[in-house]
Amino acid sequence: MSSRRDNTTTKLDDAARAGWLYYIAGNTQDEIAAKLGISRQSAQRMVSLAVSEGLVKVRLDHPIANCLELASRLKKQFDLRFAEVVPTDPASSSTTLGVAEVGAEEMARWLKSPEAIIMAIGTGRTLKAAIEQLSPMECPQHKIVSLTGSIAPDGSAAFYNVIFNIADAIKARSFPMPLPVIASSPEERELLHAQTMIRPVLELAAKADVTFLGIGDLGDDAPLYLDGFVSQGELKALQKAGGVGEILGWSFDSEGRMLEGLTNERVASAPIPSGGNSLVIALAKGAKKRPAIAAAVKGHLINGLITDEATAAALLKA
Amino acid sequence: MSSRRDNTTTKLDDAARAGWLYYIAGNTQDEIAAKLGISRQSAQRMVSLAVSEGLVKVRLDHPIANCLELASRLKKQFDLRFAEVVPTDPASSSTTLGVAEVGAEEMARWLKSPEAIIMAIGTGRTLKAAIEQLSPMECPQHKIVSLTGSIAPDGSAAFYNVIFNIADAIKARSFPMPLPVIASSPEERELLHAQTMIRPVLELAAKADVTFLGIGDLGDDAPLYLDGFVSQGELKALQKAGGVGEILGWSFDSEGRMLEGLTNERVASAPIPSGGNSLVIALAKGAKKRPAIAAAVKGHLINGLITDEATAAALLKA
DNA sequence: TCATTTAATGAGTAATTGCCCATATTAATA
DNA sequence: TATTAATATGGGCAATTACTCATTAAATGA
C-alpha cells in the first residue's frame, strides 16, 4: 500500500484489473467481485470506470463487405490514395462515431513505423475525437506538427486544437503553432508567419509525410463561425461567394477551388500539404458536411478520406 | 451487397455489422434487431458469432493488463494455483518493491477469513518487507507458524526471521521455531526436532492451509551465506552439486530437485508444505533469483508465486 | 416426390448487468 | 474536536443478455 502514488492511480489500476477480468478473462461481475473481495456493485462500477476512462478498446476485425465496396469505389472515382468507410448507425446523431476510431487506428499505424515520419495535424471536433481514441505510445523518432493555430479569438487556447492532446498520448516531438486561425489582416498574417518560431513549423508542415485533418461546412452553423473565428457577416460573404466548406480555415467552393479574397487572405494556418508523396487524409461524415466533402475530393484538396457508409454512398451518387 | 461470395461470407458480414453496432456504436441487441430487421434473438446470435469468430478484439490500455496476462500464463504454464504479477519499476533497484505490498495484501486477505486457518511463514528479506506492509488486525482464530528457525548462528534471534514481526501486527496465535536454520549435524537436527516444544510446531506446519515463503539464490552472495547459515566452503559445494536456489534452507537444482546430502541433511527447518490443498506461495523477483524461481516452479516446490513483470516474462520465455 | 437431416427461428426463462437510492465511511474544514 | 461535505458502499429493481427448447423452414439424397 505504501508504494502507491495516489488515490486516482490506485483506482484506475483496480479498474483496469476489473476490466481485464471482465473483457479479457470473461469473468462475470459477480466473479470479479468475489476475486477482488468487493461487492458486485463495486465490481460493476470498476468495469464501467475502465470503459469510461477509455482503458478498454474494442476493435472489429472484419472488412464489412459493403464498406469495403464503397471505399474502393471512392478511391477509384475520386482518385484517392486512401479511403476507409465505417458502418453508419442510423440512430446515432454523433458526427464522429466510427470515423474517430478508424482515424485513430490509421494514425497509430503510421506512428508505429520505426522510420521517422512527419505527421501533420489539423483541427476540429472529429479530429479531437480521434485523438481521444489513440493508445499511448512512445515514438520519439516522429515529429507531429500542427497545421493551424492554437489560439482562440479571445486569446485562450482553442478548445478544438488537438496537437496538445496528441502530445499527451504520444511521446513524439510535437510542434504547435502559436497563432490565431485567422489573422485580422493580410499584413498581420505575413508578420506572424515571419516569426522565427513559426517559420520552421511551416517548413515542417510542408514536408509532412501524412496529414490528418477535418472538414468544416460553411452552413449557418459553420464551426468556423460557432468557434468565433469568423463573424456572421464574414460567413455570409463566404456563402455568397460560393463557399461550401473549409479545411484549416481555408474556404473553398463546390468544385474545391479556393475562394479568392475574403477571409482566405487572412488565414494564418499552413497551406494544406500537397506535395507529391504526401498523404492528406480527411476525417469527416454527416449530411451537413456532404457538400464540403464532395468539393474537397472533387478539387483534390485531399487524397485520403475516412467517412461513413451513408456519406460515402451519397458522395458516389452525386 | 453485390460482391458477396457465399452464405458464410454474408453471415460473417452481418455478424460484423451487428458486432459493430453493439460494441462500437453501443446499441442494445433490441436496437440492432430493429435496425437490421431481425429478431432480438437473432441479433444476439450475430453478436455472439462475431465474438466467437474472433472478429471482436478487446484491448486494455493499462500497465496492469500486461501483468494480469503474465499471471494467467504463469498459472497455466507452471500449473500454479495462484500467481500475481506486479509492474516492474525499471527505476527501482529494490528487490521487494511491489511484491511485498501484494504479498501483504494476499496475507491480509487470508487473515480476514472468519474461519480458523493455519498460515505458515518462511523467512527472508522479501517476506520481512511484506510483513512490514501488513496492517494490524485482530484474528485470534488463526494460527501462524514459522517454518524455519529463529536462531542465528551466533545464538541471537535471526534478523530476517519474520514470525515475531507478524506477531506484532497480527493478533493471532503464533508459533515460532526456536531452532537454528541449519543444524551442525544430521543427528543434532533429529535431536532438535524431537523436542516437545518443536514437534507440535512441525505438525502444525504440515497442516498449513497457506504458506508464504521467500526464495534464495545460491550465487556467491547467497543470503544463506551472507547471513552466516552456511560457510563459503559449503556454498561452493552446493553450487558444485548444481544448486541454484533454496527455500527455507533446503537447496535444490535447476530442475527443482532437492540436493542429496551436503547441508540439506542438516536443515532444521520444516519441510516445504506440500499437502493436497495447501497453497504454497513464494514471494520473489529479480534477475539474481530467476534461476531459483524457475527451478522452484518447474519442480512444483511451490504452487503460488508473487513476482514482477520482468521476472514473469523471463520465466515464461525460458 | 417424399422422407430425412440440418440449420434457422422465436418463445420463454434464468442469469447478468446497469442504475437509483438510502446509508455508511472518509476527508475536509472550521 | 465537531461539523459538514464528499465519496464510497451495498440493497433493490428494471433492463438487458445468454441460453434452452420446441417448432419451422430449407437442404439433401434416394
Side-chain angles (χ1 to χ4, degrees):
Chain A
M1 325 256 169
S2 63
S3 73
R4 281 170 180 171
R5 271 161 299 170
D6 59 48
N7 208 273
T8 310
T9 310
T10 310
K11 212 163 66 178
L12 267 191
D13 287 356
D14 290 343
R17 188 176 229 90
W20 190 90
L21 288 167
Y22 188 70
Y23 286 104
I24 316 281
N27 288 277
T28 70
Q29 298 181 352
D30 264 321
E31 291 170 320
I32 296 171
K35 283 178 190 176
L36 266 43
I38 54 179
S39 71
R40 189 192 62 76
Q41 293 87 332
S42 299
Q44 195 275 328
R45 280 185 199 106
M46 285 193 174
V47 172
S48 96
L49 181 68
V51 174
S52 66
E53 288 292 323
L55 268 40
V56 177
K57 300 276 168 66
V58 183
R59 201 176 78 245
L60 213 80
D61 260 349
H62 187 81
I64 296 179
N66 191 37
C67 290
L68 250 198
E69 170 82 19
L70 287 168
S72 79
R73 283 169 57 198
L74 276 180
K75 273 200 272 196
K76 195 171 169 196
Q77 182 160 336
F78 298 109
D79 194 24
L80 297 175
R81 288 173 46 205
F82 176 91
E84 193 95 359
V85 177
V86 304
T88 298
D89 176 3
S92 163
S93 64
S94 164
T95 59
T96 60
L97 186 64
V99 169
E101 286 79 0
V102 171
E105 266 172 57
E106 186 60 17
M107 287 184 202
R109 220 176 56 77
W110 280 87
L111 292 170
K112 271 187 205 131
S113 153
E115 278 158 66
I117 61 163
I118 303 172
M119 179 182 288
I121 294 289
T123 183
R125 287 149 181 80
T126 310
L127 220 47
K128 189 182 174 72
I131 301 305
E132 275 165 9
Q133 299 295 325
L134 266 181
S135 318
M137 53 172 76
E138 307 264 335
C139 30
Q141 70 274 34
H142 303 320
K143 293 176 182 166
I144 302 179
V145 54
S146 182
L147 289 173
T148 188
S150 42
I151 315 284
D154 62 3
S156 68
F159 180 63
Y160 286 113
N161 189 291
V162 295
I163 186 83
F164 298 111
N165 297 75
I166 291 202
D168 286 343
I170 307 299
K171 292 280 175 301
R173 274 169 296 168
S174 67
F175 298 81
M177 209 182 257
L179 290 183
V181 174
I182 298 184
S184 57
S185 70
E187 292 73 34
E188 190 197 38
R189 186 248 301 263
E190 297 314 317
L191 212 66
L192 290 167
H193 277 194
Q195 285 181 62
T196 48
M197 291 192 46
I198 302 297
R199 203 166 325 174
V201 180
L202 288 171
E203 281 164 14
L204 214 53
K207 290 189 297 183
D209 298 292
V210 62
T211 303
F212 291 89
L213 34 76
I215 296 181
D217 70 278
L218 286 182
D220 288 340
D221 46 359
L224 221 47
Y225 165 62
L226 287 184
D227 295 344
F229 294 122
V230 307
S231 70
Q232 189 154 28
E234 288 166 337
L235 176 60
K236 291 281 175 220
L238 288 170
Q239 291 172 348
K240 203 161 190 176
V244 299
E246 52 84 19
I247 290 177
L248 302 172
W250 302 100
S251 301
F252 47 84
D253 69 12
S254 64
E255 296 300 311
R257 288 176 303 228
M258 286 297 166
L259 299 181
E260 300 286 327
L262 298 174
T263 53
N264 268 6
E265 61 187 7
R266 296 185 278 118
V267 173
S269 308
I272 305 172
S274 61
N277 252 352
S278 157
L279 190 53
V280 181
I281 300 173
L283 281 64
K285 71 164 192 180
K288 206 179 285 180
K289 289 186 177 176
R290 207 170 289 164
I293 303 170
V297 293
K298 239 185 272 180
H300 296 103
L301 302 177
I302 57 177
N303 56 20
L305 179 64
I306 298 174
T307 190
D308 74 344
E309 245 179 311
T311 309
L315 289 175
L316 288 165
K317 220 182 292 173
Chain B
M1 322 278 166
S2 59
S3 70
R4 283 174 178 167
R5 273 160 298 171
D6 59 46
N7 207 275
T8 310
T9 311
T10 310
K11 209 163 70 179
L12 268 190
D13 286 356
D14 290 344
R17 184 173 294 263
W20 190 90
L21 288 167
Y22 187 73
Y23 285 104
I24 316 283
N27 287 277
T28 71
Q29 298 180 352
D30 264 321
E31 291 170 317
I32 296 171
K35 282 174 193 178
L36 301 184
I38 54 177
S39 71
R40 204 203 84 246
Q41 292 88 335
S42 297
Q44 195 277 326
R45 279 185 199 107
M46 286 197 171
V47 172
S48 100
L49 180 67
V51 174
S52 65
E53 289 292 322
L55 268 38
V56 177
K57 300 274 171 64
V58 183
R59 200 174 77 252
L60 216 82
D61 263 343
H62 196 281
I64 289 291
N66 188 39
C67 292
L68 293 165
E69 168 80 23
L70 287 168
S72 83
R73 283 170 56 199
L74 277 179
K75 272 200 270 195
K76 194 169 169 200
Q77 182 161 338
F78 297 112
D79 196 25
L80 297 176
R81 287 173 47 204
F82 176 92
E84 192 97 358
V85 177
V86 303
T88 299
D89 178 0
S92 161
S93 62
S94 163
T95 58
T96 59
L97 185 63
V99 168
E101 285 80 359
V102 171
E105 268 174 54
E106 186 60 18
M107 285 183 203
R109 220 177 57 78
W110 279 87
L111 292 169
K112 270 187 206 131
S113 153
E115 278 156 68
I117 61 163
I118 303 171
M119 178 183 290
I121 295 288
T123 185
R125 286 150 180 82
T126 311
L127 219 49
K128 187 180 176 70
I131 301 304
E132 278 165 8
Q133 300 295 326
L134 265 182
S135 322
M137 54 172 75
E138 308 264 336
C139 30
Q141 71 273 35
H142 303 320
K143 294 175 181 169
I144 302 178
V145 53
S146 181
L147 289 173
T148 187
S150 42
I151 314 285
D154 62 3
S156 69
F159 180 64
Y160 286 112
N161 189 290
V162 296
I163 187 83
F164 298 111
N165 297 75
I166 290 202
D168 287 344
I170 307 299
K171 291 281 175 302
R173 276 170 294 168
S174 66
F175 299 81
M177 211 182 251
L179 289 182
V181 174
I182 296 184
S184 56
S185 70
E187 292 73 29
E188 188 196 39
R189 187 250 301 261
E190 296 314 317
L191 213 64
L192 290 167
H193 276 192
Q195 284 180 66
T196 49
M197 294 195 44
I198 303 298
R199 203 169 323 177
V201 180
L202 288 170
E203 281 165 14
L204 214 50
K207 288 189 299 181
D209 297 294
V210 61
T211 303
F212 291 90
L213 34 76
I215 296 181
D217 70 277
L218 286 181
D220 289 340
D221 45 1
L224 221 49
Y225 165 63
L226 289 184
D227 295 345
F229 295 122
V230 307
S231 70
Q232 189 154 28
E234 287 167 337
L235 177 59
K236 292 279 175 222
L238 287 170
Q239 291 173 347
K240 201 159 192 176
V244 300
E246 52 84 18
I247 288 176
L248 302 172
W250 302 99
S251 302
F252 47 84
D253 69 12
S254 64
E255 296 299 311
R257 287 175 303 226
M258 287 298 166
L259 299 181
E260 300 285 327
L262 299 174
T263 53
N264 269 4
E265 61 187 5
R266 295 185 278 117
V267 172
S269 308
I272 304 172
S274 62
N277 252 353
S278 156
L279 190 53
V280 182
I281 300 174
L283 282 63
K285 71 164 189 177
K288 204 179 286 179
K289 288 185 178 176
R290 207 169 289 165
I293 303 170
V297 293
K298 237 185 276 181
H300 297 101
L301 302 178
I302 58 180
N303 56 19
L305 179 64
I306 299 174
T307 189
D308 74 345
E309 245 178 310
T311 309
L315 288 175
L316 288 165
K317 218 182 295 172

